[in-house]
Amino acid sequence: MKIYTLHTKQNLPISIETAWEFLSSPKNLKIITPDYMGFKTLSGDEKEMFAGQIIQYIVTPVLGIPMKWVTEITHVVDKKYFVDEQRFGPYALWHHKHFLKEIPGGVEMEDIVDYKVPMGLLGQMVHPFLVKPKLKEIFDYRRAKLVELFGEFKE
């Protein structure tokens, strides 16, 4: 069983409060997801984030085929971090940790995603040219969108 990790960091020129308010709201996921993914929240985004929250989405990750994705928010520490875990969806495992930290001039946002692709050996074979580049593309889009929304971090 091969588990992969995606690790990203991004600095934003905003307060920890602004970062937390935006990034911890499931309603904002659509804004930072590429349009072609057809991202739509079905339920679970009505309340402020809490541990145990179940959020249901429709995504179209590959070949225009819509897929239901259900995540659970398993951990929340206000203005510090939250964790979402897939309960049903495209991955055999999805564990996404979102960390926020105040830094001079803004906030550092760090994501660590541990994931496993389905279909055993076949999934591992397509990972390098299908899954990994797609995840990179999605997180690159998110990075650019956050700069568009909040500005470029100046050191």
Side-chain angles (χ1 to χ4, degrees):
M1 168 170 77
K2 176 76 173 150
I3 297 177
Y4 303 97
T5 300
L6 172 71
H7 186 195
T8 66
K9 284 187 181 184
Q10 181 175 5
N11 295 340
L12 297 169
I14 56 177
S15 69
I16 193 87
E17 291 80 10
T18 299
W20 181 261
E21 183 179 321
F22 184 84
L23 295 167
S24 69
S25 172
K27 290 181 188 260
N28 291 327
L29 276 171
K30 181 176 178 54
I31 296 169
I32 58 174
T33 302
D35 290 341
Y36 73 82
M37 296 272 308
F39 187 93
K40 181 180 178 192
T41 304
L42 299 175
S43 67
D45 66 353
E46 307 83 20
K47 295 185 177 182
E48 190 173 311
M49 184 178 289
F50 61 92
Q53 184 175 20
I54 299 290
I55 308 166
Q56 297 184 54
Y57 316 96
I58 292 288
V59 292
T60 310
V62 181
L63 303 172
I65 302 167
M67 179 178 289
K68 194 170 199 178
W69 190 335
V70 179
T71 60
E72 178 181 356
I73 305 301
T74 57
H75 300 82
V76 179
V77 175
D78 190 50
K79 296 179 189 69
K80 292 195 182 295
Y81 73 90
F82 64 94
V83 178
D84 67 83
E85 296 182 25
Q86 175 190 283
R87 293 295 175 241
F88 177 82
Y91 293 90
L93 167 76
W94 179 270
H95 185 271
H96 184 178
K97 297 175 285 281
H98 309 252
F99 296 99
L100 293 176
K101 179 173 75 174
E102 281 187 284
I103 58 172
V107 66
E108 176 187 86
M109 178 181 77
E110 179 179 21
D111 289 275
I112 302 171
V113 182
D114 294 299
Y115 65 99
K116 180 179 183 269
V117 293
M119 300 186 291
L121 189 57
L122 178 61
Q124 288 181 39
M125 290 171 55
V126 301
H127 176 262
F129 62 89
L130 182 64
V131 179
K132 185 178 179 179
K134 181 63 72 178
L135 279 175
K136 182 180 179 329
E137 178 183 307
I138 291 166
F139 275 79
D140 286 350
Y141 177 90
R142 183 177 80 164
R143 175 180 294 277
K145 193 65 171 178
L146 289 169
V147 167
E148 179 185 317
L149 292 168
F150 299 112
E152 189 79 49
F153 184 82
K154 307 282 191 244
E155 291 193 48

